[in-house]
Amino acid sequence: MTSTQKNTPKTEQMNFSADVARLLDIVAHALYTNHDVFLRELISNAADACDRLRYDAIQNPDLTKDNSNFRIHIYKDTEARTLTITDNGCGMNHDELIENLGTIAKSGTAALMEQMKAAKSNGGGEKSDPLKLIGQFGVGFYASYMVADKVTATSRKAGEDKAHTWVSDGRTGFEVSKASKEEETKLDGLRGTAITLHLKDEGSDFLLDEKIKQTVALYSDHIDVKIFLCTPHETDKGEGQPINKGSAIWARSKSDITQEQYTEFYRSITHGFDEPLLTSHWRAEGVIEFSALLFVPTMRPWDLYDPSRKAATKLYVRRVFITDDLEGLMYPWLRFVRGVIDSEDLPLNISREGLQHNPIISKIRTAVTKRILKDLAKLAQEDAPGFATFWGQFGAALKEGLYDADQHRDDIFNVCRFYSTHDDGNTLISLDEYINRMHADQDNIYYISGENVEALKHSPQIEGFKAKGIEVLFMTDTVDDFWLQQVTDYKDKKFKSVTKGDVHLDKDEKEEEQSEEATALLDQFKEILKDEVSEVRASHRLTDSPVCLVAPEEGTDMHMERVLKLHQNYQGTTKPVLEINTHHALIEKLGQITDKKEIEEAAHLLMDQARIIQGEPLKNPAAFARRMSLFMEKGL
């Protein structure tokens, strides 16, 4: 939203920003082939409004004294070509109409538009499919514009006496005004919201009762609020029967629920278009009792790594909705899980603030976490492609639990997968698979951390390991550098970075004697580079490259240091160790040179080469270019 101006004392007109107008245009046109979904979105919103009021009425029964029977009505006016969806839920006041129906103008819009621009610039293809991109955000109320060229929302908040109307064509902005008497008649009693859609030609099939029934049966049969195909007045006179089952899907037996019904429930709570990758439905009985219906999405939500993102699992108490943003109900590293948890033990009149410190919540969290990790481990065993999809989308988030949930660490490790030098970094493996392939005398789980697998596959530090058939794990997620500081071992095998400290890959191998030329060259390099490195030594890990950088045994791993500087304004600087492959042809030739100036130039050139390989910036690019030109000239 941009500026606000008053046309009359009763009407406010507000304009959409350019990005919002563009996004609404995409919703209205790009999603045409799936336009039935608009009704699912509006029914889902209506059910949420009823759930919220049911909870508020526990503390304030007066809010529902006019009608405690929650319901949703869908009715049409064939002559006027309108479809109306009405609920008697919590309703909205003037400010909430503007805020709640303007949420599309928040941060998600900008992120979505950037993705669409990037997809377009990359030449389109599957990744540019608007349906897939919008599915990461959900369209909610604005799905209405797939079938309507004008939408009117009239609402009165429970407990208040004024009703207001929001009107928009989805293009030029919207108006908010006090509701007229005619508009108020659409409301179900003294509260709730009525959404009226002025249908376009492509939405005219929703003027048929059978079409509405079919759509509700497909998308919204699970909604725990009765849905009627008539006006509220007709229901009050005893006419009409609900067109949905009106029972909580999570309270029903799994044998009575089809996968299609699970999928539609998942889509109704996520407002998305993807299918759940994993569905976990069970009932816990014993010390605590609760039902859970949880899903792991196929697509990563756009804000998965936004620090302000909260978990989105809904908490119910004996079918009464309590909250969908309770901190502590799910671990932050399981924030991608969506669904419902319905407790039998929590008191209905507890405040949301009191819930955070209730011991039952922590017990539910523990039980749910164990079940989700167990189901993910099962997915890994039974559906390798499906698990690979999960790991690519959510693996980095899950690994956050290795850092701060030590009581679940073993179960998280059981799910974790890594790329490694085995199969040239093309196959995800478990830590148990790594250990089963370890050499008999190997005590460490070796790893290397960096930006991506392709770059790490060519790191000089792993040359010796590959030559001796010692597997090295590739750690490419930012969180890896942090949990590896917290977790030292797995099944009595120590984690050890191949870019830190000295390594001896063969315990029985005798220390090779260095030639006098190599010893003299190392001494010269130490003196020349004394301000840049902590040590210069002969390498036991290099086979093909002449040099590489590693961190001292007691220092900070170089990639970790780079991550800390980037994310936490880390100021410390660990001088690296320069390792020299004394058997490399270049090093052997340098050992024969007596010109001190030439040795100095070579030392700095090799140091810069090691920095480039490590992904470190050059301190003096101009000097590097000059030295490179000089040595090329001599070589030619």
Side-chain angles (χ1 to χ4, degrees):
M1 277 174 284
T2 55
S3 61
T4 301
Q5 65 179 56
K6 291 190 176 182
N7 297 337
T8 70
K10 295 183 179 180
T11 303
E12 298 170 83
Q13 183 161 344
M14 304 184 183
N15 298 322
F16 290 127
S17 69
D19 275 354
V20 173
R22 169 63 179 145
L23 185 54
L24 285 171
D25 182 64
I26 291 171
V27 170
H29 297 98
L31 304 184
Y32 169 67
T33 57
N34 198 36
H35 70 266
D36 291 7
V37 79
F38 87 91
L39 192 55
R40 178 196 80 187
E41 296 295 296
L42 296 182
I43 291 173
S44 180
N45 289 345
D48 284 346
C50 293
D51 280 342
R52 293 179 186 280
L53 183 57
R54 186 185 283 125
Y55 172 78
D56 292 339
I58 296 171
Q59 303 287 345
N60 185 2
D62 288 346
L63 293 175
T64 56
K65 65 181 180 182
D66 59 314
N67 186 353
S68 59
N69 183 21
F70 293 99
R71 59 197 190 183
I72 297 169
H73 291 86
I74 305 172
Y75 58 93
K76 64 192 188 302
D77 184 330
T78 306
E79 291 185 6
R81 294 181 59 80
T82 62
L83 183 71
T84 300
I85 298 91
T86 299
D87 68 74
N88 60 349
C90 57
M92 294 173 279
N93 58 28
H94 168 274
D95 292 342
E96 288 170 337
L97 269 173
I98 296 172
E99 172 68 16
N100 293 341
L101 302 190
T103 52
I104 200 166
K106 290 187 177 179
S107 59
T109 305
L112 176 57
M113 298 308 295
E114 286 301 314
Q115 285 199 32
M116 288 188 167
K117 290 175 184 175
K120 186 175 181 181
S121 65
N122 289 335
E126 182 180 348
K127 290 185 178 179
S128 65
D129 182 352
L131 186 67
K132 292 183 180 296
L133 291 175
I134 292 175
Q136 292 179 283
F137 293 78
V139 291
F141 167 78
Y142 286 90
S144 305
Y145 291 99
M146 291 190 280
V147 295
D149 51 22
K150 178 183 175 183
V151 178
T152 301
T154 298
S155 191
R156 179 189 286 118
K157 187 169 184 176
E160 298 186 8
D161 56 358
K162 292 182 180 179
H164 293 82
T165 295
W166 181 101
V167 183
S168 176
D169 60 6
R171 298 187 302 276
T172 58
F174 59 88
E175 293 182 353
V176 180
S177 62
K178 184 178 177 182
S180 66
K181 293 294 183 183
E182 181 183 356
E183 289 165 340
E184 286 192 43
T185 61
K186 298 178 183 178
L187 297 176
D188 187 358
L190 299 178
R191 67 172 193 263
T193 301
I195 308 290
T196 298
L197 283 67
H198 298 260
L199 297 173
K200 299 184 285 190
D201 289 343
E202 50 263 49
S204 58
D205 49 347
F206 282 92
L207 295 173
L208 301 173
D209 286 352
E210 199 56 39
K211 175 63 174 178
I212 297 172
K213 289 179 181 178
Q214 289 175 356
T215 306
V216 170
L218 176 60
Y219 292 118
S220 306
D221 197 46
H222 60 271
I223 292 293
D224 192 22
V225 179
K226 290 181 179 179
I227 303 172
F228 295 88
L229 188 57
C230 59
T231 67
H233 179 67
E234 289 170 325
T235 302
D236 289 338
K237 293 194 301 181
E239 300 176 21
Q241 293 295 318
I243 58 175
N244 68 320
K245 284 190 173 66
S247 62
I249 186 172
W250 60 88
R252 288 154 54 185
S253 170
K254 288 195 291 186
S255 60
D256 295 336
I257 307 170
T258 66
Q259 186 55 50
E260 186 178 51
Q261 289 172 318
Y262 277 132
T263 298
E264 290 313 322
F265 177 68
Y266 162 78
R267 288 174 174 170
S268 76
I269 61 175
T270 61
H271 302 287
F273 296 91
D274 63 324
E275 295 187 2
L277 188 61
L278 175 67
T279 300
S280 187
H281 184 192
W282 81 99
R283 178 174 177 79
E285 296 178 333
V287 178
I288 56 171
E289 294 187 5
F290 65 89
S291 298
L293 176 52
L294 301 172
F295 304 94
V296 173
T298 300
M299 294 197 310
R300 177 192 303 168
W302 64 272
D303 60 346
L304 182 65
Y305 296 107
D306 186 333
S308 63
R309 176 181 169 83
K310 297 180 179 178
T313 304
K314 295 186 175 186
L315 176 66
Y316 284 72
V317 174
R318 295 188 289 282
R319 316 297 177 273
V320 177
F321 173 72
I322 304 299
T323 182
D324 58 3
D325 63 354
L326 177 62
E327 186 179 347
L329 181 61
M330 298 288 285
Y331 282 106
W333 42 274
L334 289 176
R335 58 187 175 276
F336 52 84
V337 175
R338 307 297 296 271
V340 169
I341 295 172
D342 189 349
S343 170
E344 297 291 336
D345 302 304
L346 289 165
L348 269 172
N349 60 355
I350 192 170
S351 68
R352 290 186 175 99
E353 293 75 19
L355 279 171
Q356 291 184 349
H357 308 291
N358 192 294
I360 293 176
I361 292 295
S362 62
K363 290 177 181 177
I364 290 175
R365 180 182 63 193
T366 297
V368 167
T369 299
K370 288 182 178 179
R371 179 59 183 252
I372 290 294
L373 292 174
K374 178 182 177 182
D375 287 345
L376 287 172
K378 184 178 179 182
L379 180 69
Q381 294 296 321
E382 298 180 355
D383 182 5
F387 183 82
T389 298
F390 159 77
W391 192 254
Q393 295 291 313
F394 306 110
L398 185 72
K399 283 191 287 186
E400 293 172 15
L402 295 172
Y403 182 80
D404 61 7
D406 54 345
Q407 68 271 41
H408 297 290
R409 191 169 287 154
D410 288 343
D411 290 331
I412 298 173
F413 268 135
N414 195 34
V415 175
C416 284
R417 296 294 184 271
F418 306 88
Y419 289 105
S420 75
T421 50
H422 181 76
D423 192 28
D424 199 28
N426 295 315
T427 306
L428 285 169
I429 67 161
S430 67
L431 288 179
D432 286 333
E433 288 176 296
Y434 179 98
I435 290 175
N436 288 338
R437 288 196 290 262
M438 285 174 61
H439 290 193
D441 61 347
Q442 186 178 334
D443 299 325
N444 300 314
I445 298 173
Y446 292 106
Y447 70 89
I448 182 171
S449 57
E451 304 302 326
N452 59 74
V453 170
E454 280 305 310
L456 293 178
K457 279 164 45 173
H458 304 291
S459 298
Q461 293 93 338
I462 66 173
E463 291 174 354
F465 292 87
K466 292 168 68 175
K468 292 185 178 295
I470 299 174
E471 191 171 357
V472 179
L473 299 176
F474 297 136
M475 302 291 188
T476 57
D477 294 314
T478 300
V479 68
D480 291 327
D481 290 296
F482 292 94
W483 70 259
L484 283 164
Q485 307 303 309
Q486 189 83 6
V487 186
T488 59
D489 62 272
Y490 175 72
K491 292 188 175 179
D492 297 325
K493 301 294 184 182
K494 299 285 186 182
F495 288 104
K496 184 170 178 59
S497 170
V498 303
T499 62
K500 183 178 177 182
D502 199 1
V503 295
H504 294 270
L505 302 180
D506 191 337
K507 290 182 178 179
D508 298 326
E509 187 176 30
K510 293 182 179 180
E511 191 72 31
E512 258 187 68
E513 289 189 11
Q514 276 182 188
S515 66
E516 292 182 8
E517 291 85 357
T519 301
L521 185 66
L522 291 178
D523 289 340
Q524 290 180 80
F525 275 24
K526 288 177 186 177
E527 179 60 29
I528 295 167
L529 301 173
K530 62 183 179 183
D531 294 331
E532 300 183 47
V533 298
S534 61
E535 186 181 355
V536 177
R537 66 185 177 213
S539 178
H540 298 98
R541 73 189 94 207
L542 292 174
T543 59
D544 301 320
S545 301
V547 293
C548 73
L549 291 175
V550 298
E553 187 68 53
E554 302 303 322
T556 303
D557 189 88
M558 285 182 294
H559 185 259
M560 176 65 171
E561 185 172 285
R562 190 157 67 245
V563 168
L564 290 174
K565 286 179 179 178
L566 182 64
H567 296 282
Q568 297 189 11
N569 198 27
Y570 178 70
Q571 299 298 323
T573 300
T574 302
K575 281 187 179 182
V577 174
L578 179 66
E579 289 199 347
I580 307 290
N581 180 0
T582 56
H583 301 292
H584 194 279
L586 174 61
I587 302 301
E588 289 179 343
K589 287 186 178 181
L590 285 175
Q592 299 168 12
I593 295 175
T594 57
D595 188 326
K596 291 185 178 180
K597 181 63 177 176
E598 199 166 341
I599 291 294
E600 184 177 346
E601 294 287 275
H604 287 295
L605 188 59
L606 286 171
M607 182 66 191
D608 282 343
Q609 178 182 321
R611 285 196 181 102
I612 292 171
I613 295 172
Q614 194 63 32
E616 297 288 338
L618 298 179
K619 292 187 175 181
N620 190 337
F624 169 75
R626 179 185 60 77
R627 293 184 182 111
M628 179 63 73
S629 297
L630 177 64
F631 272 81
M632 288 177 66
E633 180 183 342
K634 288 184 177 180
L636 294 172

